[in-house]
Amino acid sequence: MAIRNIREMGDDVLTKKCKEVTEMTPRTRELIEDMLETMYEANGVGLAAPQVGILKRIVVIDCTGEDPYVLINPRIVETSGEQTGHEGCLSVPGKSGVVTRPNYVKAVALDVNMKPFELEGTELLARAICHELDHLDGHLYVEKVEGPLVDVSYDDDEEEEE
């Protein structure tokens, strides 16, 4: 496994539509493992393949730090409710903005064994599903921000030691 470079806003790869995954290969498995490792290293809640430069319809999400979801060729099939809150992105470091998303989302996807499954989520998980699936179609959350992007500041005691 390896930490991959996270592409940042302005990189053309983040504006492209991703291709469906048709079979699970050793390279795709390695990509998924690398995406999980990269997401955890960056303290993210989710990561989409284009964020590491790969135009495949794959996202990883882990809102709890204990139980990651891998979604291959995901599609949102149902939404309801509404939530408005701050959102950030590993591809837009140091910034956040207010975005309105559904409060409930149901998605269908394939797992790492290419078996179909459903994932239902509310609140943060619903937001993460919507956010990561947007990446697969070449969209960043900044397109949906209500008002200005704001700088995210960290207290000195929260900074990592180098």
Side-chain angles (χ1 to χ4, degrees), residues 78-153:
E78 186 180 333
T79 64
S80 67
E82 188 173 274
Q83 60 171 310
T84 301
H86 279 275
E87 199 164 306
C89 180
L90 296 174
S91 292
V92 188
K95 301 285 185 187
S96 77
V98 174
V99 178
T100 298
R101 301 272 192 188
N103 197 51
Y104 165 83
V105 172
K106 180 193 286 187
V108 294
L110 301 175
D111 65 16
V112 293
N113 298 311
M114 302 299 281
K115 302 285 185 229
F117 74 101
E118 286 185 352
L119 176 61
E120 294 180 278
T122 59
E123 299 172 0
L124 180 58
L125 181 54
R127 179 177 294 278
I129 293 167
C130 293
H131 178 110
E132 298 308 329
L133 270 60
D134 279 352
H135 278 297
L136 302 181
D137 292 319
H139 299 290
L140 292 172
Y141 85 99
V142 296
E143 298 169 29
K144 299 178 188 295
V145 169
E146 302 160 18
L149 281 178
V150 296
D151 290 327
V152 177
S153 61

Side-chain angles (χ1 to χ4, degrees), residues 4 23-34 56 112:
R4 298 201 183 199
E23 65 177 329
M24 183 54 61
T25 65
R27 285 186 67 187
T28 301
R29 280 190 191 278
E30 181 180 355
L31 168 64
I32 292 166
E33 290 174 12
D34 290 354
K56 290 187 176 185
V112 293

